[in-house]
Amino acid sequence: MEPRIDEELKILHLGLLQRSLLTRQPYHRSEAIWNGEEPGPLMCRSRTKEMANVQMQDNRVIDIIKLLRLEGLFRVTSREIDHCLITALVERSRPETHTFHLPHGEMSIILQDVEVIFGLPIDGEVLVGLTTVEDGDWSQVCGELLGFTPPNDNKTLVGQRILISRLVEAIATPLPHDATEIQIHQYARCYILALVEDKLFMDKSGDRVHLMFLDFMRNLRDPRQYSWGSGCLAWLYRELCRASEKGASQIGGACTLVQYWAWVRLPFLCSRIEPPLGCDYGLWPYAPLAFKWVRVPSSKSRPSNMALVHYREQLVTMQLDQDKSSAQLDTVGAFQKLPMVMPSVDILYSALKKAKRVSPTKGIPNIAKRERNRGTKQLDALMKEIAVPLRTYLENFPKKKYLHPYERSLIELTLGDGNYEESLTKREAEERLSETLRAMPVVDLETPTLCLVGAPNVGKSSLVRILSTGKPEIYNYPFTTRGILMGHIAFNYQNFQVTDTPGLLKRCDEQPYDSIPNFSAADALRLTGI
């Protein structure tokens, strides 16, 4: 007999209810998703690999970077961009307001975020200027400011953009010790131009840099003070607007800034890595806030489609003040928030049912290729439908170290030391564990509590049943109560709690009774905080 599956909920209305403000909705990326199309993750343009191999250690160049007030950007380490995270945020980015529309309100990247995360200056002159050369051409500008003239091969220099790989090649060889000031400045411009293009002003070409930024680096002896942060933010806003359009497949700009901003403002999106016990990394060096996540593992090995769905679900189900990094040890009730775990056979049946409905991509004339495409898409859908709920269950179970001491004691007494973590790795045990933990009592730490401890069959449960709202079982044989039961009492406008505990025996620990819960007087007192 096949397991019964509840009918899928029918959504009455998709999309916006009021379109008076969000006038670009018919052309927005989310419109395609609501219509059943899956555009997939965006391609985030960057030159992380090339810049990661460039280690600038020449103090003469670093001093120029400090004069330009780009020391914070220089200290930001290169890392892989999480394309799925950026895509999930772009789907909620609105060009009409330049904000991310989230379930509990709107959020946006502001100048303060740019200053703190990247260490960029947000005061000074605005980055404005000409994009053309008045006298001569861009080849002459490269020879004057960069120290080399690009070949006329219509490849290295195309219009106003030059290959970043050519700039990296120019700084591959260290500066000689007897280099002149002109050579030092040319060398520094090559590095700084590649640096700001990679982290701030990357366009969708992905491999070229606009030479207009050289105009802001002409005088490196006494450079003018520019607001690099405002220029970075304006460029990013434009790229977010373009990427949010229906049909867009890539995005440029400071994608690493968006990723770090998400980890700061929405910490539950960050896959944190915890150092092993006894490991001390020492003090953090002077660096912008982006250096905080230098040890976060890369997400490059995760399947893109599954990761994108995961980020979408996290943003949809986010809660106010959600922060998995902080341990709220002063409250109890974590077990009552556990998810309802579906039986494994129901998850498998539902996944197979949805995978069968997947159709191949349209426009494939060859029958064999079309069926191969269908099989691949069905396998991806099956993996997603199985992996997403299992990962959600695992993430919603609280870590033992983040629980209140009272709840940690309950786990140790009920499951045994170490069995909680072991149960989370087994699917069948996780299902039973969810039911067991949700049935555990909840204690209000601010309410006076009376704990009844004593020998079996002396009337503890009867007293709790008469005086409080608790309903423990009462029979004419001992050891009826086999767990911690709670009741509440209201007297003279005051609330009290009463705890019923299993009967205790005076016995040796070396000879426990298998049929009697292994509680001691110290355990019962420790549970109630006495």
Side-chain angles (χ1 to χ4, degrees):
M1 180 177 179
E2 293 183 349
R4 183 178 61 84
I5 302 297
D6 295 336
E7 294 182 0
E8 297 181 0
L9 295 177
K10 296 183 179 179
I11 302 177
L12 299 180
H13 188 279
L14 290 177
L16 303 175
L17 296 177
Q18 179 57 255
R19 296 174 179 254
S20 59
L21 177 60
L22 305 181
T23 57
R24 299 289 301 173
Q25 180 57 34
Y27 315 101
H28 197 268
R29 183 181 182 88
S30 61
E31 186 76 12
I33 299 176
W34 286 334
N35 292 334
E37 303 175 12
E38 178 53 72
L42 293 168
M43 172 62 68
C44 302
R45 293 296 184 181
S46 67
R47 307 299 293 179
T48 305
K49 294 182 179 180
E50 289 82 351
M51 296 305 298
N53 297 327
V54 179
Q55 302 294 332
M56 182 54 62
Q57 300 178 353
D58 196 311
N59 291 328
R60 295 168 293 182
V61 177
I62 296 177
D63 290 339
I64 295 176
I65 294 174
K66 293 180 180 179
L67 288 176
L68 291 172
R69 301 194 298 173
L70 293 174
E71 182 183 4
L73 188 67
F74 168 71
R75 292 182 176 274
V76 175
T77 57
S78 299
R79 67 167 299 114
E80 293 289 341
I81 298 176
D82 193 338
H83 300 251
C84 296
L85 173 59
I86 304 299
T87 304
L89 292 173
V90 169
E91 292 171 355
R92 293 182 170 273
S93 175
R94 303 302 311 194
E96 300 91 345
T97 58
H98 295 298
T99 57
F100 299 104
H101 284 214
L102 300 173
H104 301 287
E106 300 179 43
M107 298 181 68
S108 182
I109 304 175
I110 59 177
L111 283 175
Q112 183 186 25
D113 298 319
V114 181
E115 181 184 24
V116 174
I117 296 176
F118 269 1
L120 291 174
I122 58 175
D123 59 333
E125 300 183 37
V126 184
L127 291 172
V128 293
L130 299 176
T131 59
T132 58
V133 180
E134 296 181 356
D135 300 326
D137 55 12
W138 287 109
S139 297
Q140 296 178 358
V141 174
C142 291
E144 176 188 356
L145 300 181
L146 298 180
F148 65 87
T149 301
N152 190 15
D153 55 0
N154 200 24
K155 179 180 178 182
T156 305
L157 179 63
V158 178
Q160 306 157 346
R161 290 176 171 83
I162 190 172
L163 289 174
I164 296 182
S165 57
R166 182 62 183 88
L167 299 177
V168 175
E169 180 183 346
I171 58 178
T173 305
L175 267 174
H177 296 287
D178 57 348
T180 62
E181 184 184 48
I182 296 178
Q183 291 176 327
I184 296 175
H185 287 181
Q186 292 172 343
Y187 189 90
R189 290 190 191 98
C190 290
Y191 176 77
I192 297 173
L193 188 61
L195 179 68
V196 298
E197 178 69 14
D198 173 53
K199 296 182 179 179
L200 302 183
F201 305 114
M202 176 63 68
D203 57 16
K204 291 190 293 186
S205 66
D207 58 351
R208 295 183 179 275
V209 53
H210 205 296
L211 293 173
M212 63 181 179
F213 297 107
L214 284 176
D215 190 47
F216 309 119
M217 310 174 194
R218 284 187 175 273
N219 182 12
L220 295 184
R221 179 180 296 177
D222 185 19
R224 304 172 69 174
Q225 304 299 298
Y226 290 101
S227 177
W228 293 95
S230 59
C232 167
L233 190 59
W235 193 284
L236 177 61
Y237 279 174
R238 185 182 67 169
E239 292 296 330
L240 287 173
C241 292
R242 291 177 175 177
S244 64
E245 294 290 326
K246 188 187 301 184
S249 60
Q250 52 188 347
I251 180 175
C255 292
T256 51
L257 174 64
V258 180
Q259 182 166 313
Y260 288 136
W261 174 86
W263 291 350
V264 174
R265 303 299 184 184
L266 307 170
F268 58 90
L269 295 176
C270 178
S271 54
R272 298 186 181 276
I273 181 172
E274 299 178 1
L277 296 176
C279 180
D280 185 11
Y281 290 117
L283 297 176
W284 292 101
Y286 169 75
L289 186 62
F291 196 83
K292 176 181 179 181
W293 294 278
V294 67
R295 300 186 183 94
V296 175
S298 174
S299 59
K300 190 175 181 180
S301 59
R302 293 183 296 178
S304 59
N305 291 334
M306 294 174 57
L308 179 56
V309 173
H310 176 59
Y311 283 130
R312 288 173 179 168
E313 291 182 350
Q314 283 188 304
L315 291 175
V316 168
T317 59
M318 65 178 293
Q319 303 295 325
L320 286 175
D321 302 327
Q322 182 175 354
D323 184 357
K324 289 186 178 180
S325 63
S326 59
Q328 303 294 334
L329 298 180
D330 56 343
T331 60
V332 295
F335 297 149
Q336 278 61 42
K337 302 176 184 178
L338 294 178
M340 294 293 295
V341 180
M342 291 178 57
S344 57
V345 62
D346 288 359
I347 296 178
L348 180 59
Y349 179 77
S350 177
L352 291 172
K353 183 178 179 181
K354 292 182 179 180
K356 289 181 180 179
R357 296 200 297 261
V358 175
S359 58
T361 305
K362 297 181 180 179
I364 303 178
N366 187 279
I367 298 178
K369 292 183 179 180
R370 185 167 62 248
E371 292 303 317
R372 188 160 51 246
N373 178 265
R374 182 204 300 271
T376 302
K377 295 181 64 175
Q378 288 181 342
L379 183 60
D380 291 342
L382 180 64
M383 292 177 59
K384 182 188 72 173
E385 295 297 332
I386 293 178
V388 169
L390 294 182
R391 182 174 60 246
T392 303
Y393 295 150
L394 184 60
E395 292 178 350
N396 288 337
F397 273 82
K399 293 184 179 180
K400 186 177 179 181
K401 65 178 182 180
Y402 291 158
L403 293 175
H404 189 274
Y406 166 77
E407 294 177 332
R408 285 204 300 265
S409 299
L410 277 179
I411 287 180
E412 294 174 359
L413 293 174
T414 305
L415 304 177
D417 191 12
N419 292 335
Y420 176 73
E421 293 82 357
E422 183 180 353
S423 299
L424 293 181
T425 61
K426 298 179 181 179
R427 177 63 187 81
E428 294 78 5
E430 189 178 86
E431 179 182 343
R432 296 192 299 268
L433 183 63
S434 177
E435 300 177 358
T436 303
L437 295 181
R438 279 200 306 272
M440 286 186 173
V442 179
V443 177
D444 187 356
L445 302 179
E446 303 299 330
T447 303
T449 304
L450 170 65
C451 180
L452 299 181
V453 181
N457 205 22
V458 295
K460 299 189 301 299
S461 299
S462 300
L463 189 61
V464 171
R465 192 179 184 92
I466 294 174
L467 297 179
S468 70
T469 59
K471 301 299 180 183
E473 296 181 356
I474 300 176
Y475 296 102
N476 58 356
Y477 52 84
F479 303 113
T480 304
T481 302
R482 305 181 65 85
I484 303 296
L485 301 177
M486 299 297 300
H488 297 83
I489 304 173
F491 181 74
N492 288 340
Y493 302 101
Q494 292 184 349
N495 294 324
F496 302 90
Q497 295 177 138
V498 58
T499 303
D500 188 15
T501 60
L504 304 178
L505 290 179
K506 184 178 180 181
R507 57 183 174 81
C508 298
D509 292 337
E510 291 79 6
Q511 298 176 351
Y513 297 95
D514 295 335
S515 61
I516 301 176
N518 190 17
F519 282 92
S520 66
D523 292 334
L525 296 178
R526 179 160 54 91
L527 282 174
T528 56
I530 300 177

